[in-house]
Amino acid sequence: MMNDTSQTFTKVKARHILVADEALCNSLKAQINSFEDFDRLAREYSTCPSAKVGGDLGIFGKGVMVPEFDEVVFSAPLNEVQGPVKTQFGYHLIWITNRK
């Protein structure tokens, strides 16, 4: 059986929390024990417009997001909080919910 990192995926569904500094990002990550925690913290702290929907970015393909973000969402395990991931926009926590 192949694991996620050895397959080629073209679409991903993910949520994220975007904040300005790494310390806050790490603090939020430590508070996340469930999907409900992630949703609540995204709504409260994320500076991205997606905060209104719990950080939901919907389904997107490769190359839509910045390279650092793409690298994580197309290779990291599903349903585990990834990050902090630094991009030009700030620091992200990422929850990948599906790939195909």
Side-chain angles (χ1 to χ4, degrees):
M1 181 175 173
M2 298 173 79
N3 64 27
D4 278 353
T5 57
S6 65
Q7 295 180 20
T8 302
F9 297 98
T10 59
K11 298 283 184 188
V12 67
K13 182 167 176 49
R15 291 176 175 255
H16 81 135
I17 299 172
L18 173 63
V19 294
D21 71 79
E22 189 173 13
L24 176 57
C25 200
N26 280 316
S27 173
L28 294 174
K29 185 175 183 178
Q31 297 176 54
I32 298 171
N33 297 306
S34 68
F35 184 79
E36 290 76 20
D37 291 339
F38 192 96
D39 182 83
R40 178 179 52 79
L41 293 171
R43 290 173 191 273
E44 187 173 343
Y45 290 97
S46 185
T47 60
C48 179
S50 68
K52 293 180 226 140
V53 289
D56 191 354
L57 297 170
I59 298 169
F60 56 92
K62 284 189 179 183
V64 172
M65 302 297 179
V66 294
E68 303 90 345
F69 200 96
D70 258 13
E71 184 178 326
V72 172
V73 297
F74 285 99
S75 66
L78 296 176
N79 298 311
E80 292 179 13
V81 179
Q82 305 299 318
V85 175
K86 187 176 187 320
T87 71
Q88 67 197 51
F89 302 105
Y91 294 87
H92 305 259
L93 293 177
I94 304 169
W95 187 301
I96 307 141
T97 58
N98 197 354
R99 273 195 219 99
K100 47 186 166 178

